[in-house]
Amino acid sequence: MHIVPNNEKLFKYGMTESSLYDICKSSTESNIHLFWKCSNEQPFWCEITKIFNERLNISDEIALTYQTFSFSNVDTNIK
Ligand SMILES: [Zn+2]
């Protein structure tokens, strides 16, 4: 819904000096990088996936995707 004031948007409107993600400083702080693609976030999602699969106790493992948790159809190949 584009309500998160990430650095990508703040930089676009001249409200911050850089569009880079403050934590890793390796990529633009877009929502997809902030919540999914950043290597700092992947351990969190791996742990959530592990908990889901353990708690649901179903035969097929669930693979979380950005589209699943964000309820969007955003192309995850974009930065
Ligand atoms: Zn990052």
Side-chain angles (χ1 to χ4, degrees):
M1 297 183 81
H2 306 287
I3 59 173
V4 177
N6 58 44
N7 281 347
E8 180 180 43
K9 298 283 188 296
L10 295 175
F11 183 70
K12 182 178 178 181
Y13 297 113
M15 299 174 74
T16 186
E17 293 181 15
S18 171
S19 65
L20 295 177
Y21 182 27
D22 292 330
I23 302 297
C24 71
K25 299 188 186 320
S26 67
S27 185
T28 297
E29 188 187 273
S30 60
N31 286 347
I32 195 166
H33 185 81
L34 183 64
F35 295 114
W36 187 256
K37 283 190 160 185
C38 185
S39 60
N40 292 303
E41 307 306 323
Q42 285 304 308
F44 171 78
W45 291 112
C46 286
E47 194 62 32
I48 293 295
T49 301
K50 181 179 163 189
I51 291 168
F52 272 19
N53 286 315
E54 287 173 359
R55 298 272 167 95
L56 293 176
N57 196 24
I58 54 178
S59 59
D60 294 328
E61 287 193 1
I62 291 174
L64 287 178
T65 64
Y66 182 75
Q67 288 86 355
T68 303
F69 94 88
S70 68
F71 303 105
S72 75
N73 58 1
V74 171
D75 181 1
T76 55
N77 292 320
I78 61 172
K79 288 187 175 185

